[in-house]
Amino acid sequence: MSNTIEAEGLVKRYGDKTALDGVDLEARAGSVLGVLGPNGAGKTTAVRILATLVGPDGGVARVGGHDVTREPAKVRELIGLTGQYASVDEKLTGRQNLMMIGRLLGLGRAPARARAEDLIGRFGLQNAADRAAQTYSGGMRRRLDLAVSLVGEPSIIFMDEPTTGLDPQVRAELWTVVREQIARGATVLLTTQYLEEADQLADEIVLIDRGKVSARGTPDELKARAGDRRLEIRPEHDAEKAERILAEVTGLRPHRGENGVISVPVLDPALPPAALRRLDDAGIVLTEHALRRPTLDEAFLALVAAPAEGLTDHTAANAAERRSA
Amino acid sequence: MTARNTFAQGMTLTWRSLVPLRNQPGELIQLLLQPIFMIVIFVVVFGAMSGDQSGAVQRLLPGVLTQVALTQTITTGLRLAEDIGNGVFDRFRSMPIARSAPLMGRILADTATMTLTVAVALLVGSVVGFRIRTSPLEALGGVALLLAFTLALGWVSAWLGLRARSAASMQGLATAVLLPLSFGSTALIPAANMPGALQWWARLNPVSHLADSLRSLFTGGPVGANVWITLGWIVAITACFVPLAVRTYARRIR
Ligand SMILES: Nc1ncnc2c1ncn2[C@@H]1O[C@H](COP(=O)(O)OP(=O)(O)O)[C@@H](O)[C@H]1O
Ligand SMILES: [Mg+2]
């Protein structure tokens, strides 16, 4: 049996609000799928459907080869879930939380204790293991929540925004833990609002926005695409003319900023010198010019804001290339 | 899911609900303080005011006992609503465990704490001078009747908690249900001392019949029809609310 996650055409409506509007997802066995999207995109809804917590209104999903609506019990045997909000029992200690889950999964008292001990060590909770979870910091709570979801050594793991709201150091710690799980061979579906996080952890990224997939590909593909370098110029005069020249050279419509900066994406490295030459020939003096690669955050914003077709076409082409390669 | 697994999971979840009492002294103290407070306020203070301390203790303690137990039935629905609200319920739902285990664990744990509360209340009662005048069998019958009644209300509480939008709204709902039941009863005040409409309600109220049953079963006097009427209510409430709660639960846990 393979530890794959597959979803086709998932639809979920809440009243007249469409949370998911035909989402396809696929994670190969042993891979990490990053589901990236802003708040309200539909990430949690997708995870809840895949983890058998809510039924879809349309589409099918198979987890580990089992249909989530027809064989939820089979799916539950395979998965571990870390929800968006840590769902540990606040009144139990960390150790008791882990023991409870182990016992529920059918471990005897001693094996459950041993498993708890092991996870406490791996997640660095030694000093807090015998304190009630309600005394934990946000980061500790998240770590405990993650540990709890791993008690059954699941082969498929869902993590819904495991690091949102945590400071960078705690986030990096959690990444290490996630990487260990990946190394163990589990299939992981991880949702996040941070491209950087998806970039760090995922093999493939699906970008969703307002319930629809707006892009998919490897982190490098997405970064390269969204992170197209931009030529930025600030002409001293003749802004209209400069804009026209940039448009002619690149074949794309430049963006005119309020500070007098005109910018345009450049896909071909030969273009910037050509553009600058044409501007010079036209006698336009530039007070400033630069070739900039957007930061990851800018790239993410660009991906979210971009018209979906262009990007999906592009990534479809990339996917086709990969297949033929 | 075999019956044995289901039982084991139910016991694990019972443990989970009881272990905070051991973890945190505050939790246990809070549980025990409520009966102590109620007994001191009603039995001792009202008794002293009436001038006949020992008569008042004998008359009031069974009533206070029902109040204490009634208040505690909120716990079942409140904890269920909390588990739903903070995602613990979803964690259980994503696991390969019997669907019924979380509800079973809740009810078993609450029955255990209720038994503890009743025992403590009787103990505190004996410290302030309450004496059981009947046979051990009748006294045990009284305790059993009280526990059966609170168990029946526990299902009402569970039903409310599973329907409520939040733990806070569950608390509000339960208070709205419990107030007329506990204060519009003859638990503390004889019906003869009440104004007309309230008197009518108090004579109908199952809690009145329960409190009067306990008075007879603990301190003697004619038992009369009260025990039978109380048993009738227990059967009726259970028959109504177990299916309602289970259906709401099944819908929530699907
Ligand atoms: N239980 C619900 N009832 C009503 N609307 C919901 C519910 N869950 C999610 N939504 C709506 O569906 C959309 C997607 O939500 P969600 O999946 O939580 O997004 P994300 O996890 O990406 O932030 C949001 O607009 C949200 O308001
Ligand atoms: Mg979410």
Side-chain angles (χ1 to χ4, degrees), chain A residues 48 51-54 73 75-77 79-83 85-93 96-97 99-101 103-106 132 134-135 144-146 148-149, chain B residues 1 5 8-13 15-24 27 79 82-83 86-99 101 252-254:
Chain A
R48 288 177 65 82
T52 78
L53 295 180
V54 292
V75 172
R76 290 176 192 133
E77 303 265 350
I79 63 170
L81 170 66
T82 303
Y85 305 99
S87 55
V88 295
D89 189 327
E90 302 276 325
K91 290 185 173 159
L92 301 192
T93 66
Q96 287 166 342
N97 267 290
M99 285 283 292
M100 167 176 73
I101 300 297
R103 299 286 282 151
L104 285 175
L105 292 173
Q134 61 197 0
T135 67
L144 176 60
D145 198 44
L146 208 52
V148 162
S149 70
Chain B
M1 206 56 58
N5 286 346
Q9 289 156 5
M11 290 319 284
T12 298
L13 291 170
W15 169 84
R16 167 251 172 175
S17 297
L18 292 176
V19 82
L21 293 176
R22 202 188 61 198
N23 278 354
Q24 282 154 314
E27 294 261 336
R79 296 281 179 267
E82 280 172 6
D83 280 354
N86 63 24
V88 171
F89 218 63
D90 279 345
R91 157 139 285 140
F92 294 150
R93 291 176 59 212
S94 75
M95 292 174 58
I97 62 172
R99 306 281 87 189
R252 279 225 102 133
I253 202 157
R254 185 171 44 197

Side-chain angles (χ1 to χ4, degrees), chain A residues 297-315:
Chain A
D297 283 339
E298 283 173 324
F300 174 43
L301 287 177
L303 278 169
V304 171
E309 291 102 74
L311 281 169
T312 29
D313 283 349
H314 173 85
T315 44

